[in-house]
Amino acid sequence: MGTPASTAGLRVKSKTRRKRSNANSFALLFILPSLILYTLFVIVPTLGSVYLSFTSWDGISEDVRFIGLANFAEIFQSPRVHNALKNTLVLTISLVLLENIAAIAMALMVDRVRWFKNLFRSLFYFPTLLSGVVMGFVWAMILNYNFGVFNQILNAVGLGSWAIDWLGNPDYAMISIILSTVWKGAGYYMIIYLAGLQGIPTELSEAASIDGASGWQQFRFITFPLLAGSLTVCMVLSTISALKIFDQIAVMTDGGPGFATETLTYIIYKVGFGELRQGFGTALALVLFVLILIVTIIQVQILRKREVQY
């Protein structure tokens, strides 16, 4: 038989185990409703999509014919998909660079301005409150060839020869979408960079200024390196957002003129719902998912190493 002390210790351990078990049971009860909803509306549809990607289902009929890897073979051979992939990469690279450059510039301005700081912050952030559809309609009206504000301003200042069909010309349609999307999205990333700037001790810049460092040198060697964490977040978020952009293209150009602005997300919609090829559209959606996953993992790994260096 054990000593009274050891017996008491065993009792305490037993009570502790029961308390932990009860706590885990209560935690499971709280998690269970969300887990059920997540399973029904995310996991099950995802598994169903994987199956449909191997079929020729049209999205309406009950005839679901298994065709193996035919959809994926068509994806890698289709010139239309290749063009959409090229447009997606151009759009993504342009948006990631321009949105983050504009966001950092606006954050620096809001952080350093002495007067009307809240006003500037509100003005820069306001476009992010608009939905992609509303923003698309606004910019479609602004860039309209016949009555758009932009062309009217060019005519008013004697630059009528510069007035072009911004959304109807294949050479300018993608540029128009990129610039309008930067206008909408940069303010969101500005808030993240602004939070990062406010976490940088002012003593560092003051010491650098005393040592004779210029404003650019202070930004390059102090401010920008210390924004590494904010840069990682903004780069990843802007990349994911750009890879799955849809609203602006649907409203402003409908993927045109021709296929000049058709991206992977938009071709998924057109093929799946417009051409009634749900099987092919689902297969393309899975390819896009894998692409986003790979790009995000690589990007995070590279940017995290940069954070460690600084």
Side-chain angles (χ1 to χ4, degrees), residues 41-67:
F41 292 101
V42 177
I43 296 178
V44 173
T46 299
L47 296 177
S49 297
V50 174
Y51 170 71
L52 290 176
S53 67
F54 296 99
T55 69
S56 61
W57 187 47
D58 60 7
I60 298 177
S61 67
E62 296 181 359
D63 181 24
V64 181
R65 186 164 58 90
F66 186 82
I67 59 174

mmCIF file with all atom_site columns, all heavy atoms in Angstrom, residues 41-67:
data_model
loop_
_atom_site.group_PDB
_atom_site.id
_atom_site.type_symbol
_atom_site.label_atom_id
_atom_site.label_alt_id
_atom_site.label_comp_id
_atom_site.label_asym_id
_atom_site.label_entity_id
_atom_site.label_seq_id
_atom_site.pdbx_PDB_ins_code
_atom_site.Cartn_x
_atom_site.Cartn_y
_atom_site.Cartn_z
_atom_site.occupancy
_atom_site.B_iso_or_equiv
_atom_site.pdbx_formal_charge
_atom_site.auth_seq_id
_atom_site.auth_comp_id
_atom_site.auth_asym_id
_atom_site.auth_atom_id
_atom_site.pdbx_PDB_model_num
ATOM 1   N N   . PHE A 1 41 ? -20.685 23.150 -45.622 1.00 0.00 ? 41 PHE A N   1
ATOM 2   C CA  . PHE A 1 41 ? -20.626 24.205 -46.634 1.00 0.00 ? 41 PHE A CA  1
ATOM 3   C C   . PHE A 1 41 ? -19.239 24.418 -47.234 1.00 0.00 ? 41 PHE A C   1
ATOM 4   O O   . PHE A 1 41 ? -19.103 25.172 -48.190 1.00 0.00 ? 41 PHE A O   1
ATOM 5   C CB  . PHE A 1 41 ? -21.126 25.530 -46.039 1.00 0.00 ? 41 PHE A CB  1
ATOM 6   C CG  . PHE A 1 41 ? -22.590 25.523 -45.721 1.00 0.00 ? 41 PHE A CG  1
ATOM 7   C CD1 . PHE A 1 41 ? -23.026 25.349 -44.421 1.00 0.00 ? 41 PHE A CD1 1
ATOM 8   C CD2 . PHE A 1 41 ? -23.531 25.663 -46.724 1.00 0.00 ? 41 PHE A CD2 1
ATOM 9   C CE1 . PHE A 1 41 ? -24.375 25.324 -44.119 1.00 0.00 ? 41 PHE A CE1 1
ATOM 10  C CE2 . PHE A 1 41 ? -24.890 25.648 -46.435 1.00 0.00 ? 41 PHE A CE2 1
ATOM 11  C CZ  . PHE A 1 41 ? -25.313 25.473 -45.134 1.00 0.00 ? 41 PHE A CZ  1
ATOM 12  N N   . VAL A 1 42 ? -18.209 23.759 -46.685 1.00 0.00 ? 42 VAL A N   1
ATOM 13  C CA  . VAL A 1 42 ? -16.859 23.939 -47.230 1.00 0.00 ? 42 VAL A CA  1
ATOM 14  C C   . VAL A 1 42 ? -16.243 22.592 -47.619 1.00 0.00 ? 42 VAL A C   1
ATOM 15  O O   . VAL A 1 42 ? -15.876 22.373 -48.775 1.00 0.00 ? 42 VAL A O   1
ATOM 16  C CB  . VAL A 1 42 ? -15.936 24.671 -46.229 1.00 0.00 ? 42 VAL A CB  1
ATOM 17  C CG1 . VAL A 1 42 ? -14.522 24.775 -46.791 1.00 0.00 ? 42 VAL A CG1 1
ATOM 18  C CG2 . VAL A 1 42 ? -16.477 26.059 -45.933 1.00 0.00 ? 42 VAL A CG2 1
ATOM 19  N N   . ILE A 1 43 ? -16.131 21.688 -46.645 1.00 0.00 ? 43 ILE A N   1
ATOM 20  C CA  . ILE A 1 43 ? -15.433 20.428 -46.911 1.00 0.00 ? 43 ILE A CA  1
ATOM 21  C C   . ILE A 1 43 ? -16.197 19.566 -47.911 1.00 0.00 ? 43 ILE A C   1
ATOM 22  O O   . ILE A 1 43 ? -15.630 19.072 -48.893 1.00 0.00 ? 43 ILE A O   1
ATOM 23  C CB  . ILE A 1 43 ? -15.202 19.664 -45.593 1.00 0.00 ? 43 ILE A CB  1
ATOM 24  C CG1 . ILE A 1 43 ? -14.275 20.467 -44.679 1.00 0.00 ? 43 ILE A CG1 1
ATOM 25  C CG2 . ILE A 1 43 ? -14.603 18.288 -45.876 1.00 0.00 ? 43 ILE A CG2 1
ATOM 26  C CD1 . ILE A 1 43 ? -14.013 19.818 -43.337 1.00 0.00 ? 43 ILE A CD1 1
ATOM 27  N N   . VAL A 1 44 ? -17.498 19.365 -47.669 1.00 0.00 ? 44 VAL A N   1
ATOM 28  C CA  . VAL A 1 44 ? -18.291 18.529 -48.575 1.00 0.00 ? 44 VAL A CA  1
ATOM 29  C C   . VAL A 1 44 ? -18.332 19.113 -49.995 1.00 0.00 ? 44 VAL A C   1
ATOM 30  O O   . VAL A 1 44 ? -18.097 18.377 -50.969 1.00 0.00 ? 44 VAL A O   1
ATOM 31  C CB  . VAL A 1 44 ? -19.711 18.330 -48.014 1.00 0.00 ? 44 VAL A CB  1
ATOM 32  C CG1 . VAL A 1 44 ? -20.599 17.614 -49.039 1.00 0.00 ? 44 VAL A CG1 1
ATOM 33  C CG2 . VAL A 1 44 ? -19.656 17.526 -46.715 1.00 0.00 ? 44 VAL A CG2 1
ATOM 34  N N   . PRO A 1 45 ? -18.629 20.415 -50.177 1.00 0.00 ? 45 PRO A N   1
ATOM 35  C CA  . PRO A 1 45 ? -18.589 20.957 -51.541 1.00 0.00 ? 45 PRO A CA  1
ATOM 36  C C   . PRO A 1 45 ? -17.218 20.861 -52.199 1.00 0.00 ? 45 PRO A C   1
ATOM 37  O O   . PRO A 1 45 ? -17.119 20.662 -53.413 1.00 0.00 ? 45 PRO A O   1
ATOM 38  C CB  . PRO A 1 45 ? -18.997 22.427 -51.350 1.00 0.00 ? 45 PRO A CB  1
ATOM 39  C CG  . PRO A 1 45 ? -19.790 22.438 -50.101 1.00 0.00 ? 45 PRO A CG  1
ATOM 40  C CD  . PRO A 1 45 ? -19.146 21.411 -49.224 1.00 0.00 ? 45 PRO A CD  1
ATOM 41  N N   . THR A 1 46 ? -16.170 20.995 -51.394 1.00 0.00 ? 46 THR A N   1
ATOM 42  C CA  . THR A 1 46 ? -14.823 20.890 -51.959 1.00 0.00 ? 46 THR A CA  1
ATOM 43  C C   . THR A 1 46 ? -14.564 19.477 -52.486 1.00 0.00 ? 46 THR A C   1
ATOM 44  O O   . THR A 1 46 ? -14.046 19.302 -53.594 1.00 0.00 ? 46 THR A O   1
ATOM 45  C CB  . THR A 1 46 ? -13.772 21.251 -50.899 1.00 0.00 ? 46 THR A CB  1
ATOM 46  O OG1 . THR A 1 46 ? -13.978 22.592 -50.467 1.00 0.00 ? 46 THR A OG1 1
ATOM 47  C CG2 . THR A 1 46 ? -12.367 21.117 -51.467 1.00 0.00 ? 46 THR A CG2 1
ATOM 48  N N   . LEU A 1 47 ? -14.921 18.490 -51.691 1.00 0.00 ? 47 LEU A N   1
ATOM 49  C CA  . LEU A 1 47 ? -14.756 17.105 -52.144 1.00 0.00 ? 47 LEU A CA  1
ATOM 50  C C   . LEU A 1 47 ? -15.633 16.815 -53.362 1.00 0.00 ? 47 LEU A C   1
ATOM 51  O O   . LEU A 1 47 ? -15.223 16.105 -54.291 1.00 0.00 ? 47 LEU A O   1
ATOM 52  C CB  . LEU A 1 47 ? -15.092 16.138 -51.007 1.00 0.00 ? 47 LEU A CB  1
ATOM 53  C CG  . LEU A 1 47 ? -14.173 16.203 -49.781 1.00 0.00 ? 47 LEU A CG  1
ATOM 54  C CD1 . LEU A 1 47 ? -14.659 15.258 -48.695 1.00 0.00 ? 47 LEU A CD1 1
ATOM 55  C CD2 . LEU A 1 47 ? -12.737 15.871 -50.175 1.00 0.00 ? 47 LEU A CD2 1
ATOM 56  N N   . GLY A 1 48 ? -16.847 17.394 -53.363 1.00 0.00 ? 48 GLY A N   1
ATOM 57  C CA  . GLY A 1 48 ? -17.713 17.240 -54.527 1.00 0.00 ? 48 GLY A CA  1
ATOM 58  C C   . GLY A 1 48 ? -17.125 17.885 -55.766 1.00 0.00 ? 48 GLY A C   1
ATOM 59  O O   . GLY A 1 48 ? -17.247 17.356 -56.882 1.00 0.00 ? 48 GLY A O   1
ATOM 60  N N   . SER A 1 49 ? -16.463 19.033 -55.587 1.00 0.00 ? 49 SER A N   1
ATOM 61  C CA  . SER A 1 49 ? -15.830 19.713 -56.719 1.00 0.00 ? 49 SER A CA  1
ATOM 62  C C   . SER A 1 49 ? -14.692 18.885 -57.293 1.00 0.00 ? 49 SER A C   1
ATOM 63  O O   . SER A 1 49 ? -14.496 18.855 -58.518 1.00 0.00 ? 49 SER A O   1
ATOM 64  C CB  . SER A 1 49 ? -15.317 21.086 -56.274 1.00 0.00 ? 49 SER A CB  1
ATOM 65  O OG  . SER A 1 49 ? -16.378 21.914 -55.863 1.00 0.00 ? 49 SER A OG  1
ATOM 66  N N   . VAL A 1 50 ? -13.938 18.237 -56.419 1.00 0.00 ? 50 VAL A N   1
ATOM 67  C CA  . VAL A 1 50 ? -12.851 17.383 -56.899 1.00 0.00 ? 50 VAL A CA  1
ATOM 68  C C   . VAL A 1 50 ? -13.414 16.280 -57.783 1.00 0.00 ? 50 VAL A C   1
ATOM 69  O O   . VAL A 1 50 ? -12.865 15.976 -58.853 1.00 0.00 ? 50 VAL A O   1
ATOM 70  C CB  . VAL A 1 50 ? -12.066 16.782 -55.708 1.00 0.00 ? 50 VAL A CB  1
ATOM 71  C CG1 . VAL A 1 50 ? -11.044 15.775 -56.201 1.00 0.00 ? 50 VAL A CG1 1
ATOM 72  C CG2 . VAL A 1 50 ? -11.378 17.888 -54.916 1.00 0.00 ? 50 VAL A CG2 1
ATOM 73  N N   . TYR A 1 51 ? -14.526 15.689 -57.365 1.00 0.00 ? 51 TYR A N   1
ATOM 74  C CA  . TYR A 1 51 ? -15.139 14.642 -58.184 1.00 0.00 ? 51 TYR A CA  1
ATOM 75  C C   . TYR A 1 51 ? -15.658 15.207 -59.507 1.00 0.00 ? 51 TYR A C   1
ATOM 76  O O   . TYR A 1 51 ? -15.445 14.618 -60.572 1.00 0.00 ? 51 TYR A O   1
ATOM 77  C CB  . TYR A 1 51 ? -16.291 13.989 -57.412 1.00 0.00 ? 51 TYR A CB  1
ATOM 78  C CG  . TYR A 1 51 ? -17.133 13.076 -58.279 1.00 0.00 ? 51 TYR A CG  1
ATOM 79  C CD1 . TYR A 1 51 ? -16.639 11.853 -58.723 1.00 0.00 ? 51 TYR A CD1 1
ATOM 80  C CD2 . TYR A 1 51 ? -18.415 13.455 -58.671 1.00 0.00 ? 51 TYR A CD2 1
ATOM 81  C CE1 . TYR A 1 51 ? -17.405 11.023 -59.528 1.00 0.00 ? 51 TYR A CE1 1
ATOM 82  C CE2 . TYR A 1 51 ? -19.189 12.631 -59.479 1.00 0.00 ? 51 TYR A CE2 1
ATOM 83  C CZ  . TYR A 1 51 ? -18.673 11.426 -59.903 1.00 0.00 ? 51 TYR A CZ  1
ATOM 84  O OH  . TYR A 1 51 ? -19.422 10.607 -60.713 1.00 0.00 ? 51 TYR A OH  1
ATOM 85  N N   . LEU A 1 52 ? -16.344 16.369 -59.453 1.00 0.00 ? 52 LEU A N   1
ATOM 86  C CA  . LEU A 1 52 ? -16.918 16.946 -60.673 1.00 0.00 ? 52 LEU A CA  1
ATOM 87  C C   . LEU A 1 52 ? -15.846 17.345 -61.674 1.00 0.00 ? 52 LEU A C   1
ATOM 88  O O   . LEU A 1 52 ? -16.113 17.402 -62.878 1.00 0.00 ? 52 LEU A O   1
ATOM 89  C CB  . LEU A 1 52 ? -17.769 18.170 -60.315 1.00 0.00 ? 52 LEU A CB  1
ATOM 90  C CG  . LEU A 1 52 ? -19.074 17.896 -59.572 1.00 0.00 ? 52 LEU A CG  1
ATOM 91  C CD1 . LEU A 1 52 ? -19.758 19.197 -59.203 1.00 0.00 ? 52 LEU A CD1 1
ATOM 92  C CD2 . LEU A 1 52 ? -19.996 17.032 -60.416 1.00 0.00 ? 52 LEU A CD2 1
ATOM 93  N N   . SER A 1 53 ? -14.635 17.628 -61.213 1.00 0.00 ? 53 SER A N   1
ATOM 94  C CA  . SER A 1 53 ? -13.568 18.019 -62.127 1.00 0.00 ? 53 SER A CA  1
ATOM 95  C C   . SER A 1 53 ? -13.159 16.877 -63.054 1.00 0.00 ? 53 SER A C   1
ATOM 96  O O   . SER A 1 53 ? -12.506 17.110 -64.072 1.00 0.00 ? 53 SER A O   1
ATOM 97  C CB  . SER A 1 53 ? -12.351 18.511 -61.341 1.00 0.00 ? 53 SER A CB  1
ATOM 98  O OG  . SER A 1 53 ? -11.762 17.454 -60.601 1.00 0.00 ? 53 SER A OG  1
ATOM 99  N N   . PHE A 1 54 ? -13.552 15.666 -62.703 1.00 0.00 ? 54 PHE A N   1
ATOM 100 C CA  . PHE A 1 54 ? -13.246 14.499 -63.544 1.00 0.00 ? 54 PHE A CA  1
ATOM 101 C C   . PHE A 1 54 ? -14.455 14.061 -64.376 1.00 0.00 ? 54 PHE A C   1
ATOM 102 O O   . PHE A 1 54 ? -14.483 12.955 -64.891 1.00 0.00 ? 54 PHE A O   1
ATOM 103 C CB  . PHE A 1 54 ? -12.781 13.328 -62.669 1.00 0.00 ? 54 PHE A CB  1
ATOM 104 C CG  . PHE A 1 54 ? -11.502 13.587 -61.933 1.00 0.00 ? 54 PHE A CG  1
ATOM 105 C CD1 . PHE A 1 54 ? -11.520 13.970 -60.607 1.00 0.00 ? 54 PHE A CD1 1
ATOM 106 C CD2 . PHE A 1 54 ? -10.279 13.474 -62.580 1.00 0.00 ? 54 PHE A CD2 1
ATOM 107 C CE1 . PHE A 1 54 ? -10.338 14.219 -59.917 1.00 0.00 ? 54 PHE A CE1 1
ATOM 108 C CE2 . PHE A 1 54 ? -9.103  13.710 -61.902 1.00 0.00 ? 54 PHE A CE2 1
ATOM 109 C CZ  . PHE A 1 54 ? -9.121  14.088 -60.573 1.00 0.00 ? 54 PHE A CZ  1
ATOM 110 N N   . THR A 1 55 ? -15.450 14.952 -64.501 1.00 0.00 ? 55 THR A N   1
ATOM 111 C CA  . THR A 1 55 ? -16.665 14.623 -65.245 1.00 0.00 ? 55 THR A CA  1
ATOM 112 C C   . THR A 1 55 ? -16.915 15.652 -66.339 1.00 0.00 ? 55 THR A C   1
ATOM 113 O O   . THR A 1 55 ? -16.247 16.688 -66.403 1.00 0.00 ? 55 THR A O   1
ATOM 114 C CB  . THR A 1 55 ? -17.892 14.578 -64.313 1.00 0.00 ? 55 THR A CB  1
ATOM 115 O OG1 . THR A 1 55 ? -18.188 15.918 -63.868 1.00 0.00 ? 55 THR A OG1 1
ATOM 116 C CG2 . THR A 1 55 ? -17.627 13.702 -63.108 1.00 0.00 ? 55 THR A CG2 1
ATOM 117 N N   . SER A 1 56 ? -17.905 15.365 -67.175 1.00 0.00 ? 56 SER A N   1
ATOM 118 C CA  . SER A 1 56 ? -18.324 16.296 -68.224 1.00 0.00 ? 56 SER A CA  1
ATOM 119 C C   . SER A 1 56 ? -19.671 16.924 -67.891 1.00 0.00 ? 56 SER A C   1
ATOM 120 O O   . SER A 1 56 ? -20.440 17.270 -68.791 1.00 0.00 ? 56 SER A O   1
ATOM 121 C CB  . SER A 1 56 ? -18.421 15.563 -69.570 1.00 0.00 ? 56 SER A CB  1
ATOM 122 O OG  . SER A 1 56 ? -19.386 14.508 -69.491 1.00 0.00 ? 56 SER A OG  1
ATOM 123 N N   . TRP A 1 57 ? -19.987 17.077 -66.611 1.00 0.00 ? 57 TRP A N   1
ATOM 124 C CA  . TRP A 1 57 ? -21.282 17.601 -66.176 1.00 0.00 ? 57 TRP A CA  1
ATOM 125 C C   . TRP A 1 57 ? -21.497 19.011 -66.704 1.00 0.00 ? 57 TRP A C   1
ATOM 126 O O   . TRP A 1 57 ? -20.590 19.841 -66.700 1.00 0.00 ? 57 TRP A O   1
ATOM 127 C CB  . TRP A 1 57 ? -21.352 17.592 -64.651 1.00 0.00 ? 57 TRP A CB  1
ATOM 128 C CG  . TRP A 1 57 ? -22.698 17.945 -64.102 1.00 0.00 ? 57 TRP A CG  1
ATOM 129 C CD1 . TRP A 1 57 ? -23.902 17.449 -64.507 1.00 0.00 ? 57 TRP A CD1 1
ATOM 130 C CD2 . TRP A 1 57 ? -22.972 18.849 -63.027 1.00 0.00 ? 57 TRP A CD2 1
ATOM 131 N NE1 . TRP A 1 57 ? -24.924 17.985 -63.755 1.00 0.00 ? 57 TRP A NE1 1
ATOM 132 C CE2 . TRP A 1 57 ? -24.376 18.859 -62.830 1.00 0.00 ? 57 TRP A CE2 1
ATOM 133 C CE3 . TRP A 1 57 ? -22.175 19.654 -62.215 1.00 0.00 ? 57 TRP A CE3 1
ATOM 134 C CZ2 . TRP A 1 57 ? -24.998 19.634 -61.861 1.00 0.00 ? 57 TRP A CZ2 1
ATOM 135 C CZ3 . TRP A 1 57 ? -22.780 20.412 -61.240 1.00 0.00 ? 57 TRP A CZ3 1
ATOM 136 C CH2 . TRP A 1 57 ? -24.176 20.406 -61.070 1.00 0.00 ? 57 TRP A CH2 1
ATOM 137 N N   . ASP A 1 58 ? -22.745 19.296 -67.141 1.00 0.00 ? 58 ASP A N   1
ATOM 138 C CA  . ASP A 1 58 ? -23.058 20.613 -67.687 1.00 0.00 ? 58 ASP A CA  1
ATOM 139 C C   . ASP A 1 58 ? -23.633 21.564 -66.638 1.00 0.00 ? 58 ASP A C   1
ATOM 140 O O   . ASP A 1 58 ? -23.921 22.729 -66.949 1.00 0.00 ? 58 ASP A O   1
ATOM 141 C CB  . ASP A 1 58 ? -24.037 20.494 -68.864 1.00 0.00 ? 58 ASP A CB  1
ATOM 142 C CG  . ASP A 1 58 ? -25.356 19.836 -68.459 1.00 0.00 ? 58 ASP A CG  1
ATOM 143 O OD1 . ASP A 1 58 ? -25.557 19.594 -67.248 1.00 0.00 ? 58 ASP A OD1 1
ATOM 144 O OD2 . ASP A 1 58 ? -26.178 19.565 -69.354 1.00 0.00 ? 58 ASP A OD2 1
ATOM 145 N N   . GLY A 1 59 ? -23.831 21.075 -65.420 1.00 0.00 ? 59 GLY A N   1
ATOM 146 C CA  . GLY A 1 59 ? -24.338 21.942 -64.363 1.00 0.00 ? 59 GLY A CA  1
ATOM 147 C C   . GLY A 1 59 ? -25.840 21.923 -64.213 1.00 0.00 ? 59 GLY A C   1
ATOM 148 O O   . GLY A 1 59 ? -26.375 22.516 -63.270 1.00 0.00 ? 59 GLY A O   1
ATOM 149 N N   . ILE A 1 60 ? -26.563 21.266 -65.143 1.00 0.00 ? 60 ILE A N   1
ATOM 150 C CA  . ILE A 1 60 ? -28.029 21.264 -65.105 1.00 0.00 ? 60 ILE A CA  1
ATOM 151 C C   . ILE A 1 60 ? -28.583 19.842 -65.082 1.00 0.00 ? 60 ILE A C   1
ATOM 152 O O   . ILE A 1 60 ? -29.369 19.488 -64.216 1.00 0.00 ? 60 ILE A O   1
ATOM 153 C CB  . ILE A 1 60 ? -28.604 22.037 -66.312 1.00 0.00 ? 60 ILE A CB  1
ATOM 154 C CG1 . ILE A 1 60 ? -28.159 23.500 -66.273 1.00 0.00 ? 60 ILE A CG1 1
ATOM 155 C CG2 . ILE A 1 60 ? -30.134 21.945 -66.318 1.00 0.00 ? 60 ILE A CG2 1
ATOM 156 C CD1 . ILE A 1 60 ? -28.612 24.302 -67.458 1.00 0.00 ? 60 ILE A CD1 1
ATOM 157 N N   . SER A 1 61 ? -28.180 19.047 -66.045 1.00 0.00 ? 61 SER A N   1
ATOM 158 C CA  . SER A 1 61 ? -28.753 17.713 -66.191 1.00 0.00 ? 61 SER A CA  1
ATOM 159 C C   . SER A 1 61 ? -28.259 16.780 -65.088 1.00 0.00 ? 61 SER A C   1
ATOM 160 O O   . SER A 1 61 ? -27.295 17.072 -64.377 1.00 0.00 ? 61 SER A O   1
ATOM 161 C CB  . SER A 1 61 ? -28.392 17.133 -67.559 1.00 0.00 ? 61 SER A CB  1
ATOM 162 O OG  . SER A 1 61 ? -26.994 16.889 -67.638 1.00 0.00 ? 61 SER A OG  1
ATOM 163 N N   . GLU A 1 62 ? -28.948 15.648 -64.972 1.00 0.00 ? 62 GLU A N   1
ATOM 164 C CA  . GLU A 1 62 ? -28.551 14.646 -63.981 1.00 0.00 ? 62 GLU A CA  1
ATOM 165 C C   . GLU A 1 62 ? -27.492 13.700 -64.526 1.00 0.00 ? 62 GLU A C   1
ATOM 166 O O   . GLU A 1 62 ? -27.002 12.837 -63.795 1.00 0.00 ? 62 GLU A O   1
ATOM 167 C CB  . GLU A 1 62 ? -29.790 13.845 -63.548 1.00 0.00 ? 62 GLU A CB  1
ATOM 168 C CG  . GLU A 1 62 ? -30.836 14.689 -62.832 1.00 0.00 ? 62 GLU A CG  1
ATOM 169 C CD  . GLU A 1 62 ? -32.033 13.860 -62.389 1.00 0.00 ? 62 GLU A CD  1
ATOM 170 O OE1 . GLU A 1 62 ? -32.013 12.639 -62.673 1.00 0.00 ? 62 GLU A OE1 1
ATOM 171 O OE2 . GLU A 1 62 ? -32.948 14.421 -61.771 1.00 0.00 ? 62 GLU A OE2 1
ATOM 172 N N   . ASP A 1 63 ? -27.143 13.861 -65.781 1.00 0.00 ? 63 ASP A N   1
ATOM 173 C CA  . ASP A 1 63 ? -26.143 13.004 -66.403 1.00 0.00 ? 63 ASP A CA  1
ATOM 174 C C   . ASP A 1 63 ? -24.747 13.483 -66.038 1.00 0.00 ? 63 ASP A C   1
ATOM 175 O O   . ASP A 1 63 ? -24.297 14.547 -66.493 1.00 0.00 ? 63 ASP A O   1
ATOM 176 C CB  . ASP A 1 63 ? -26.322 13.002 -67.923 1.00 0.00 ? 63 ASP A CB  1
ATOM 177 C CG  . ASP A 1 63 ? -25.305 12.098 -68.622 1.00 0.00 ? 63 ASP A CG  1
ATOM 178 O OD1 . ASP A 1 63 ? -24.804 11.171 -67.954 1.00 0.00 ? 63 ASP A OD1 1
ATOM 179 O OD2 . ASP A 1 63 ? -25.018 12.334 -69.808 1.00 0.00 ? 63 ASP A OD2 1
ATOM 180 N N   . VAL A 1 64 ? -24.075 12.752 -65.190 1.00 0.00 ? 64 VAL A N   1
ATOM 181 C CA  . VAL A 1 64 ? -22.716 13.098 -64.767 1.00 0.00 ? 64 VAL A CA  1
ATOM 182 C C   . VAL A 1 64 ? -21.796 11.977 -65.255 1.00 0.00 ? 64 VAL A C   1
ATOM 183 O O   . VAL A 1 64 ? -21.700 10.916 -64.645 1.00 0.00 ? 64 VAL A O   1
ATOM 184 C CB  . VAL A 1 64 ? -22.630 13.245 -63.228 1.00 0.00 ? 64 VAL A CB  1
ATOM 185 C CG1 . VAL A 1 64 ? -21.210 13.636 -62.825 1.00 0.00 ? 64 VAL A CG1 1
ATOM 186 C CG2 . VAL A 1 64 ? -23.638 14.273 -62.730 1.00 0.00 ? 64 VAL A CG2 1
ATOM 187 N N   . ARG A 1 65 ? -21.111 12.255 -66.359 1.00 0.00 ? 65 ARG A N   1
ATOM 188 C CA  . ARG A 1 65 ? -20.292 11.214 -66.991 1.00 0.00 ? 65 ARG A CA  1
ATOM 189 C C   . ARG A 1 65 ? -18.832 11.391 -66.602 1.00 0.00 ? 65 ARG A C   1
ATOM 190 O O   . ARG A 1 65 ? -18.254 12.471 -66.768 1.00 0.00 ? 65 ARG A O   1
ATOM 191 C CB  . ARG A 1 65 ? -20.440 11.276 -68.510 1.00 0.00 ? 65 ARG A CB  1
ATOM 192 C CG  . ARG A 1 65 ? -19.731 10.142 -69.254 1.00 0.00 ? 65 ARG A CG  1
ATOM 193 C CD  . ARG A 1 65 ? -20.254 10.058 -70.689 1.00 0.00 ? 65 ARG A CD  1
ATOM 194 N NE  . ARG A 1 65 ? -20.060 11.319 -71.371 1.00 0.00 ? 65 ARG A NE  1
ATOM 195 C CZ  . ARG A 1 65 ? -18.956 11.628 -72.063 1.00 0.00 ? 65 ARG A CZ  1
ATOM 196 N NH1 . ARG A 1 65 ? -17.954 10.778 -72.130 1.00 0.00 ? 65 ARG A NH1 1
ATOM 197 N NH2 . ARG A 1 65 ? -18.872 12.784 -72.682 1.00 0.00 ? 65 ARG A NH2 1
ATOM 198 N N   . PHE A 1 66 ? -18.227 10.344 -66.073 1.00 0.00 ? 66 PHE A N   1
ATOM 199 C CA  . PHE A 1 66 ? -16.818 10.374 -65.662 1.00 0.00 ? 66 PHE A CA  1
ATOM 200 C C   . PHE A 1 66 ? -15.926 10.309 -66.901 1.00 0.00 ? 66 PHE A C   1
ATOM 201 O O   . PHE A 1 66 ? -16.060 9.415  -67.736 1.00 0.00 ? 66 PHE A O   1
ATOM 202 C CB  . PHE A 1 66 ? -16.519 9.191  -64.742 1.00 0.00 ? 66 PHE A CB  1
ATOM 203 C CG  . PHE A 1 66 ? -15.135 9.228  -64.155 1.00 0.00 ? 66 PHE A CG  1
ATOM 204 C CD1 . PHE A 1 66 ? -14.846 9.997  -63.052 1.00 0.00 ? 66 PHE A CD1 1
ATOM 205 C CD2 . PHE A 1 66 ? -14.112 8.476  -64.727 1.00 0.00 ? 66 PHE A CD2 1
ATOM 206 C CE1 . PHE A 1 66 ? -13.567 10.024 -62.509 1.00 0.00 ? 66 PHE A CE1 1
ATOM 207 C CE2 . PHE A 1 66 ? -12.829 8.494  -64.193 1.00 0.00 ? 66 PHE A CE2 1
ATOM 208 C CZ  . PHE A 1 66 ? -12.561 9.273  -63.082 1.00 0.00 ? 66 PHE A CZ  1
ATOM 209 N N   . ILE A 1 67 ? -14.990 11.284 -67.024 1.00 0.00 ? 67 ILE A N   1
ATOM 210 C CA  . ILE A 1 67 ? -14.111 11.334 -68.195 1.00 0.00 ? 67 ILE A CA  1
ATOM 211 C C   . ILE A 1 67 ? -12.639 11.347 -67.799 1.00 0.00 ? 67 ILE A C   1
ATOM 212 O O   . ILE A 1 67 ? -11.767 11.637 -68.636 1.00 0.00 ? 67 ILE A O   1
ATOM 213 C CB  . ILE A 1 67 ? -14.424 12.558 -69.077 1.00 0.00 ? 67 ILE A CB  1
ATOM 214 C CG1 . ILE A 1 67 ? -14.266 13.849 -68.272 1.00 0.00 ? 67 ILE A CG1 1
ATOM 215 C CG2 . ILE A 1 67 ? -15.820 12.459 -69.672 1.00 0.00 ? 67 ILE A CG2 1
ATOM 216 C CD1 . ILE A 1 67 ? -14.414 15.103 -69.119 1.00 0.00 ? 67 ILE A CD1 1
#
